[in-house]
Amino acid sequence: NANALWGGRFEAGPSAIMEEINASIGFDKRLYAQDIQGSKAHCAMLVKQNIIPAEDGEKIIEGLERILQEIESGKFTFSSALEDIHMNVESRLRELIGPAAGRLHTGRSRNDQVATDFKLWVRDVALNDLEAGLSGLQEALIGQAEKNIDTVMPGFTHLQAAQPVTFGHHMLAYVEMFGRDRSRVADCKVRMNENPLGSAALAGTPYPIDRHLTAATLGFDRPAANSLDAVSDRDFALEYLNTASITAMHLSRLAEEMVIWCSAQFKFIGMSDKFSTGSSIMPQKRNPDAAELIRSKIGRIVGCYNSLMLSMKGLPLAYSKDMQEDKEPVFFAHDHLGLCVAAMTGMVADMKVFADNMRKAAGAGYTTATDLADWLVSELGMPFRDAHHVVGATVKLAETKGCDLDQLPLEDLQKIEPKITDAVFKVLTVDASVAARKSFGGTSPERVREAVASAKERFLK
Ligand code: ARG
């Protein structure tokens, strides 16, 4: 019992092991809608070009529509003996409409068919879902930014207190990152939008097909220019996985910050009950499990990118079966990244911001030392390097006395630099520090208010 679709030159069917290693139906059934969409476009073109009779074309289209319904209502039986989605659909078509079904595959191969199906899926499902998810996440972040335009917190470098910043500014930093992710989505959509269909097995076809027509029907900008390239190109999937990896990296950084912020030692935020878990032994616990899983997921998503990149490495033109392994990494990345984006959006929208704790922490660790140096420069005309030295000595003194900079008596300051006056104290507060950072893109509430408006304009319109 050789394969019904290609069994002509075979005497025996495949071994059970061959069938198991060969079949992709277990995962590529997810391409059913795109497979049927591509087949309908191809069939309509074959009729228009007088390559197949119109009445067979009608039967084929009706049959394909019926198959779509069967699959969507769960009535379709997928068979791994039929290897993949393309042959499952075609074989069911033959059951439904008889020999006319045999005309559908004219001027086409599974090689251009699978490339087309998969491209449609990446474009219309994976990239669209990511775009929608990211804009929702940006909306949540901008919402928090707007509520925290003058919430002062410590800004860090090396995770050491550096200079005070505003929490709104911090939220908007992530809005920019996810904005770049969205622009990567848009970029790769433009580059990938060429139709492989009609490249046939690898060399094109002798039938007078109209590839411009099928390209237009399927929403592609144009037919892919080279048939060998078109059937063996998976760049679009790699670009999606690369974009997904960078997005996952951004998510992991925010997740890590949230894990730190909700610890008892920081207490900058409270994670909502909806995104926390308890401990089976320690009654006091509220664990940020969702954030930790988001932090971790990048590893598996980059793994998907690596996996497909290595499947493609060194493949001679044109199609090789290695390329069947393109789908699972993309499906995995799409499913898990979608969940991460959704969880992060909920966590950001629901988190409580403990502004008082942030403010207290903002002043700890001599975070206004740079402001003191800037004051020595602007008020006393000191070169910045000298001012840096004076402030270093001042911090050292404060450290030995166990107090903050603004708690040092003026006489102590004057022992280090006699020209210091008590006007210096007004620049040593955290509010003065953030308010002073008015340069474009800086953290002052004045700039952050504008930045919120700009982010809404650029990302939420
Ligand atoms: N299931 C195959 C895949 O996913 C379809 C293309 C098969 N083509 C071939 N010549 N065996 O890549």
Side-chain angles (χ1 to χ4, degrees):
N1 49 346
N3 184 298
L5 296 175
W6 66 55
R9 70 165 340 277
F10 285 71
E11 271 156 31
S15 82
I17 292 170
M18 176 59 194
E19 189 177 305
E20 194 178 337
I21 194 171
N22 198 42
S24 54
I25 188 64
F27 49 87
D28 69 15
K29 60 168 82 139
R30 279 182 81 162
L31 300 177
Y32 74 88
Q34 291 71 28
D35 192 67
I36 288 170
Q37 186 187 3
S39 287
K40 283 170 72 179
H42 182 66
C43 175
M45 181 278 292
L46 292 175
V47 169
K48 175 134 189 289
Q49 297 298 101
N50 291 314
I51 299 169
I52 66 169
E55 57 280 25
D56 286 351
E58 265 164 47
K59 282 191 208 155
I60 290 170
I61 303 272
E62 275 169 32
L64 289 170
E65 280 166 1
R66 172 130 173 238
I67 292 169
L68 183 66
Q69 281 169 11
E70 289 180 353
I71 296 175
E72 294 198 322
S73 58
K75 291 197 196 97
F76 191 95
T77 328
F78 293 100
S79 144
S80 59
L82 291 166
E83 193 182 319
D84 57 24
I85 185 64
H86 325 295
M87 297 204 287
N88 269 267
V89 169
E90 194 182 324
S91 154
R92 177 67 182 141
L93 188 64
R94 185 179 296 267
E95 283 172 15
L96 290 173
I97 69 166
R103 298 201 188 274
L104 173 60
H105 215 50
T106 314
R108 174 178 92 165
S109 149
R110 276 188 299 153
N111 297 346
D112 58 336
Q113 189 179 358
V114 72
T116 306
D117 294 3
F118 194 32
K119 240 187 196 187
L120 288 172
W121 195 90
V122 169
R123 184 189 72 184
D124 298 341
V125 181
L127 290 172
N128 281 354
D129 284 355
L130 185 54
E131 160 67 19
L134 287 174
S135 66
L137 176 53
Q138 283 182 311
E139 197 173 345
L141 288 161
I142 292 170
Q144 285 291 1
E146 194 162 28
K147 283 188 267 172
N148 291 285
I149 287 174
D150 35 35
T151 303
V152 183
M153 70 181 284
F156 299 91
T157 61
H158 316 268
L159 200 58
Q160 305 289 315
Q163 293 175 349
V165 294
T166 53
F167 190 61
H169 196 52
H170 202 114
M171 290 291 98
L172 291 181
Y174 283 100
V175 171
E176 293 300 324
M177 294 179 225
F178 295 122
R180 287 194 296 277
D181 295 334
R182 283 176 68 186
S183 83
R184 269 182 281 275
V185 167
D187 284 350
C188 79
K189 258 194 194 169
V190 171
R191 199 164 20 254
M192 74 181 282
N193 210 26
E194 299 183 335
N195 191 10
L197 193 60
S199 299
L202 73 165
T205 171
Y207 298 100
I209 59 170
D210 182 353
R211 294 191 59 211
H212 293 274
L213 176 58
T214 46
T217 313
L218 296 172
F220 288 105
D221 295 332
R222 62 191 81 84
N226 181 296
S227 61
L228 286 167
D229 172 47
V231 293
S232 46
D233 164 38
R234 294 295 182 272
D235 293 3
F236 60 94
L238 286 167
E239 284 195 35
Y240 164 69
L241 288 171
N242 180 273
T243 299
S245 298
I246 296 176
T247 302
M249 175 273 287
H250 290 151
L251 286 169
S252 79
R253 298 180 73 175
L254 179 52
E256 165 68 354
E257 296 208 296
M258 293 175 83
V259 168
I260 294 173
W261 292 342
C262 74
S263 67
Q265 289 68 27
F266 271 75
K267 252 183 171 300
F268 285 4
I269 61 165
M271 213 83 94
S272 88
D273 285 357
K274 285 190 252 166
F275 295 99
S276 306
T277 56
S279 157
S280 53
I281 171 170
M282 298 164 282
Q284 86 284 9
K285 290 280 261 178
R286 282 170 64 85
N287 293 327
D289 290 35
E292 293 167 282
L293 288 163
I294 294 170
R295 183 174 63 188
S296 167
K297 207 71 88 175
I298 164 108
R300 302 178 73 186
I301 291 174
V302 173
C304 291
Y305 176 65
N306 282 338
S307 153
L308 180 55
M309 189 63 107
L310 294 185
S311 286
M312 296 307 294
K313 173 187 175 286
L315 286 189
L317 302 189
Y319 179 86
S320 297
K321 193 75 169 198
D322 311 49
M323 294 168 72
Q324 177 167 288
E325 310 235 83
D326 57 356
K327 292 163 208 74
E328 285 166 294
V330 166
F331 293 154
F332 181 97
H334 168 265
D335 296 345
H336 288 256
L337 186 60
L339 200 52
C340 288
V341 171
M344 185 55 91
T345 304
M347 283 159 56
V348 168
D350 287 4
M351 74 182 167
K352 274 209 231 26
V353 174
F354 300 133
D356 291 346
N357 296 341
M358 286 190 184
R359 169 172 291 273
K360 237 174 276 154
Y366 309 107
T367 53
T368 57
T370 317
D371 297 274
L372 175 54
D374 290 338
W375 186 87
L376 297 173
V377 170
S378 60
E379 300 302 313
L380 305 184
M382 217 180 253
F384 184 79
R385 277 291 153 235
D386 298 346
H388 189 286
H389 200 78
V390 168
V391 178
T394 313
V395 169
K396 200 166 157 200
L397 179 66
E399 233 165 14
T400 33
K401 292 198 155 193
C403 68
D404 286 338
L405 288 182
D406 60 356
Q407 290 165 341
L408 285 172
L410 185 60
E411 345 19 306
D412 280 2
L413 293 173
Q414 285 172 337
K415 261 180 235 151
I416 299 169
E417 172 47 61
K419 289 199 243 63
I420 294 181
T421 66
D422 65 357
V424 77
F425 290 110
K426 73 174 191 313
V427 303
L428 297 182
T429 68
V430 292
D431 286 299
S433 175
V434 293
R437 285 175 171 69
K438 288 198 209 89
S439 52
F440 181 83
T443 196
S444 74
E446 198 181 333
R447 288 291 95 83
V448 173
R449 189 162 289 112
E450 292 163 4
V452 165
S454 152
K456 283 185 179 171
E457 183 67 31
R458 286 180 294 141
F459 300 121
L460 303 184
K461 282 257 155 93

